[in-house]
Amino acid sequence: MKFAICCVLLFLSAVLASATIDSTLQMQLGNPSGAIVDTNNHDHYLIQRPVEALDYSDNLGEPVWASWDLTAGDVGSVPRSPNFFTDTNLPPNFYRVTDSDYDGDSTVGINRGHLCPSEDRTDTTNDNNMVFLMSNIMAQNDTNNSGVWGTFEGYCRSQLSSNEMLIICGPSGFGTNRIPSGKAVIADYVWKIAVFVPTNSGTALSRITATNRVVALKIPNNATATNAWQHYVTSAAQIEVDTGFTFFTALPPTIAAALRAKVDGQTNPPPVILTFSPTSGAAGTNVVITGTNFSAATAVTFNGAPAVYTVNSSNQITATVPANAGSGFISVTTPSGTAVSTNSFTVFSSGGGMVYSGVLAGWDVSGIPTGMAGNAANFGVSPLPPTTNGLNLGVVGLTRGSGVGQSGSGAARGWGGTGFTSVTAANAISANQFVSFSLAVSNGYKVSYTTINRLDFRRSASGPTNGVLQFQVGNGAFTDITTLVYTNTSNGSTNVPVDLTVYPTLQNVGANTNVTFRIANYNGASGGTWYVWDNASSTALDLSVQGTVTQVLTVTSNPGFQSFSFAGGNPSLTITGAVAMSYTILASTNLSATNWTTLLTTNPGSLPFTFVDTNGLPLRFYRVQNP
C-alpha cells in the first residue's frame, strides 16, 4: 500500500511539473491577498495548478484561500481518491503537512476539510487526486464540513446546467487553537464566495456585470453550524473586513463594488463594521464605530451586552460601553442582518473581579436518542453540544475518538459507544478509544477549574470495566487525574466528585487556551457498550465540570488619550493609564512651543477619567504626562 501511495505522489509531481497552467483560469476574479511565488514568503505563497489556485500559509499549515472555476465539464464519474497526499511541490524550507499529522483530529471534532472539494473535480483521476494534496486541506469542524459546508458545495454543482461558477473560499480568525499534532491552525470561521455566471460564449470574466448573483457565506468553524446555508449569508465586503483581502480585483471598480455589497436574498444590504475607536475602555466609555449601512440599526452590543447608542449617520454609530460588558466583539444589528467586528474590544476597570462561578460545561443526556434522530445507531451526535455552558466560555464536545464504534443499537438516555477493547489505558489512547470535551475562555477573562462534580455512567456486561480521566492544557502533554471504576452494569452509577484545584496548570488559564478532558476506557469486549448515562431518568446534569471565570485586569502603565470630543462646545478629554499615579494635563496654542501651560494635576481614584477644558481658547494642543 505504501508503494502505491508513493507512486501516486510521484505521478502527481510529474503531472504538476508538466502541466501548462493558465494563471488566469483558476484566478479569474483576481488575487485577493497579493500572494506571490516566493519561497521566503511563509504567509502568502502562491500555488497554481490546473484544478485551482491557492494562497498557502506555511505558518498556519493550511491555505488562507483557494480559487477555482467550476463548469459542468468538471463534474464526471471518477471516484473519490481513497488517499490524501503530502504536497512535495511545496518549497523545501516549508513544512509539508502529512495525512498522519491529522491523526487524532476527531478528538477535537476536526476533519481534513477540502477547500476545492473532491466532487468539483471528478472529470479525471488526475484532477481528483490533485485536490487531495494536503495543501488543499484546512482544519474544519466535522459538523460544519459534513453539514452546511457540504450542502452548499452541492448547491453550487446543482447550478451548472445554466451557470459557470467562480468560487473562492478559505478560513479566517486565526488564534492559538491547533489540531492535536500542532501542524495546522483551527480557524474561528470558514467562508466562501460564489459568483454565478450565466453560461454563454467567451470567458466567464467577460460575462460578469453588476447584476450577477453573488453568494457569500461566513460560517462558524464549530459544532454550532447546524443551520441551512442561507442562515450564514453575508457580503463579500464583510469577509474583506475579516480577512484583510480585496476581492474582485480583476473586475472594473464599479462592478467590483456592486458585487462586494451584495447579500443574497436581501434587497437592503446588511451592516458592515470597519473600525472602532477607542479599542479599549471601561464601562461608560463612548466608542465610535465606523462602517456601512448603519441607518436602521436596532441594537449594538459589546460581547453580547446591549449598549446605549446614537446613529450619527449611515456610516457611524457612537455607543456607550454598558456596565455589564466583558471583553469581546462589538456587533451592530439592523433589519438586514448583524455585523460583528473582526477585533475584540477590551473592557477594563480599576480591578478584576469574579464574573461567574458554577458549572462551566454540563451535559444532560436524557434526550438521546429522542432529539438526535438520524445518528448512527442512536448513540448520539459527536461532538454533542453542552446542555449548560458557562459565561464567556467556548465548549466543544462530547466527542468520540476515531476508535470508538457505534455498532448495534444504542440505549435511550445515554451518549457513548462501543469497542473499548484495549487492555490498558495506554493502549486505549493509542487506539483512539476515548471520549473527550474541551473548553476555552474568551478574551479578557481567565478560567479556573475546580471539580468534575458529576459523571453518571452505565456499561453493559461486556463493556469496559475501567477508565482513566486526563486533562491537557493547550498543546501540552496529557496528565492523569484519576482512575475510574465502572462497577454497575444495569441501572447506572455515579463517580464521586474529582478535585481539580490540586493541579496548578488548571488554575487561572488564559484566554483562548483550550483545556481538553479525556476519558480513555479499557477492559471491554468488542460489542460492549459504555455511556454517559441519565441515571434514574433525572433532569440533572449527567456530566459536568465546575469552576470560575474571572475578568482580567487590563491597565495601561503610560498615560494616554482614550477619546476626544466636545461637551457644550468645550474640549472633553478622556484619559487612560494606571490607577494610583499622578497625571498632568498640559495645553498650548502651538504644538512646537516650549511654554506648555499646566491645566490640571490629579491622582484619580479610577480610570479612565474625563477632563473638560472650559478656558475657551480658539485653538489648543494637549498632552498628558506623569509629573
Side-chain angles (χ1 to χ4, degrees):
M1 185 64 182
K2 290 183 178 179
F3 175 76
I5 294 174
C6 180
C7 289
V8 173
L9 282 172
L10 292 174
F11 182 68
L12 278 174
S13 297
V15 168
L16 292 174
S18 62
T20 302
I21 299 174
D22 184 343
S23 61
T24 62
L25 180 61
Q26 307 303 339
M27 264 195 320
Q28 294 190 67
L29 296 174
N31 184 337
S33 61
I36 57 175
V37 183
D38 180 355
T39 59
N40 294 316
N41 192 334
H42 291 261
D43 292 308
H44 297 288
Y45 180 76
L46 181 63
I47 299 173
Q48 292 175 270
R49 297 178 184 143
V51 295
E52 65 182 335
L54 302 115
D55 178 343
Y56 188 79
S57 171
D58 180 37
N59 290 323
L60 299 176
E62 62 191 16
V64 293
W65 59 257
S67 172
W68 67 98
D69 177 275
L70 177 62
T71 68
D74 296 312
V75 180
S77 57
V78 168
R80 176 186 176 93
S81 169
N83 301 310
F84 289 86
F85 311 107
T86 300
D87 190 349
T88 57
N89 292 280
L90 286 174
N93 58 328
F94 280 36
Y95 180 78
R96 295 167 177 175
V97 177
T98 68
D99 181 30
S100 61
D101 285 331
Y102 274 76
D103 288 352
D105 58 350
S106 62
T107 65
V108 291
I110 293 298
N111 285 168
R112 298 158 178 81
H114 286 78
L115 279 81
C116 179
S118 170
E119 291 80 357
D120 282 11
R121 294 293 184 250
T122 53
D123 52 336
T124 69
T125 299
N126 292 343
D127 284 357
N128 191 258
N129 282 338
M130 276 188 278
V131 298
F132 278 81
L133 288 164
M134 293 301 293
S135 53
N136 180 51
I137 298 301
M138 60 182 169
Q140 189 170 11
N141 175 267
D142 53 8
T143 300
N144 179 314
N145 189 18
S146 62
V148 60
W149 191 257
T151 300
F152 186 68
E153 289 174 342
Y155 178 76
C156 289
R157 289 189 292 274
S158 74
Q159 304 299 301
L160 296 179
S161 61
S162 57
N163 288 282
E164 181 174 353
M165 307 293 294
L166 299 184
I167 303 172
I168 185 167
C169 73
S172 66
F174 304 108
T176 59
N177 195 18
R178 287 180 172 261
I179 61 177
S181 69
K183 300 304 183 182
V185 167
I186 303 173
D188 296 332
Y189 293 91
V190 292
W191 55 267
K192 180 170 285 189
I193 301 170
V195 179
F196 295 63
V197 186
T199 305
N200 211 324
S201 60
T203 65
L205 198 64
S206 69
R207 289 178 267 126
I208 296 178
T209 69
T211 63
N212 281 75
R213 184 186 180 191
V214 176
V215 177
L217 304 179
K218 177 183 176 182
I219 310 172
N221 191 26
N222 57 47
T224 66
T226 57
N227 296 299
W229 64 260
Q230 291 86 349
H231 181 83
Y232 303 102
V233 168
T234 185
S235 65
Q238 179 63 58
I239 299 175
E240 286 186 337
V241 172
D242 295 339
T243 60
F245 300 158
T246 303
F247 299 113
F248 311 137
T249 55
L251 297 173
T254 54
I255 296 177
L259 298 186
R260 289 186 192 109
K262 287 193 174 188
V263 178
D264 191 60
Q266 295 185 4
T267 303
N268 298 316
V272 175
I273 296 176
L274 299 175
T275 62
F276 56 86
S277 179
T279 58
S280 62
T285 301
N286 287 332
V287 178
V288 176
I289 307 166
T290 59
T292 59
N293 308 315
F294 288 164
S295 297
T298 58
V300 176
T301 68
F302 287 74
N303 196 32
V308 176
Y309 63 95
T310 300
V311 178
N312 308 122
S313 69
S314 64
N315 299 321
Q316 180 176 301
I317 288 175
T318 300
T320 302
V321 180
N324 60 336
S327 297
F329 298 113
I330 297 174
S331 71
V332 174
T333 299
T334 73
S336 299
T338 298
V340 179
S341 62
T342 300
N343 299 315
S344 292
F345 181 89
T346 301
V347 177
F348 62 79
S349 63
S350 58
M354 188 68 66
V355 174
Y356 174 82
S357 178
V359 175
L360 302 178
W363 287 263
D364 173 11
V365 299
S366 60
I368 297 175
T370 305
M372 301 295 169
N375 295 301
N378 293 323
F379 282 87
V381 296
S382 175
L384 175 68
T387 307
T388 301
N389 198 146
L391 296 176
N392 305 300
L393 280 165
V395 181
V396 176
L398 293 159
T399 304
R400 278 183 288 267
S402 60
V404 178
Q406 298 176 74
S407 60
S409 298
R413 302 184 4 247
W415 179 95
T418 62
F420 299 98
T421 57
S422 295
V423 296
T424 66
N427 290 345
I429 292 167
S430 297
N432 294 316
Q433 294 172 358
F434 51 75
V435 298
S436 64
F437 61 92
S438 62
L439 305 87
V441 72
S442 305
N443 288 334
Y445 297 89
K446 59 185 178 181
V447 57
S448 295
Y449 298 86
T450 57
T451 59
I452 294 181
N453 61 304
R454 191 83 178 184
L455 172 54
D456 290 358
F457 69 91
R458 174 183 171 179
R459 70 174 178 90
S460 65
S462 59
T465 60
N466 295 90
V468 61
L469 174 64
Q470 302 175 311
F471 74 86
Q472 176 194 45
V473 179
N475 294 318
F478 276 90
T479 299
D480 289 352
I481 299 174
T482 188
T483 298
L484 304 171
V485 179
Y486 307 128
T487 57
N488 196 299
T489 62
S490 55
N491 295 323
S493 186
T494 299
N495 273 283
V496 297
V498 178
D499 183 12
L500 301 178
T501 62
V502 296
Y503 299 99
T505 54
L506 289 179
Q507 312 310 310
N508 298 311
V509 180
N512 302 311
T513 299
N514 271 348
V515 173
T516 300
F517 292 92
R518 182 168 73 182
I519 301 173
N521 295 324
Y522 57 100
N523 276 340
S526 60
T529 59
W530 177 92
Y531 305 97
V532 175
W533 177 250
D534 175 33
N535 199 12
S537 300
S538 73
T539 58
L541 295 175
D542 306 303
L543 169 61
S544 63
V545 56
Q546 290 189 330
T548 60
V549 177
T550 308
Q551 186 177 8
V552 176
L553 169 64
T554 304
V555 298
T556 304
S557 58
N558 296 317
F561 294 111
Q562 184 183 88
S563 63
F564 179 88
S565 60
F566 285 91
N570 295 314
S572 176
L573 302 88
T574 301
I575 313 300
T576 64
V579 295
M581 294 182 66
S582 294
Y583 297 91
T584 297
I585 300 172
L586 305 98
S588 173
T589 57
N590 187 334
L591 183 60
S592 61
T594 58
N595 58 333
W596 287 77
T597 300
T598 298
L599 303 180
L600 174 71
T601 297
T602 182
N603 190 334
S606 62
L607 286 167
F609 72 93
T610 300
F611 169 74
V612 178
D613 183 6
T614 59
N615 188 278
L617 291 179
L619 174 64
R620 283 206 181 227
F621 296 90
Y622 296 90
R623 72 185 187 194
V624 60
Q625 63 187 37
N626 300 120

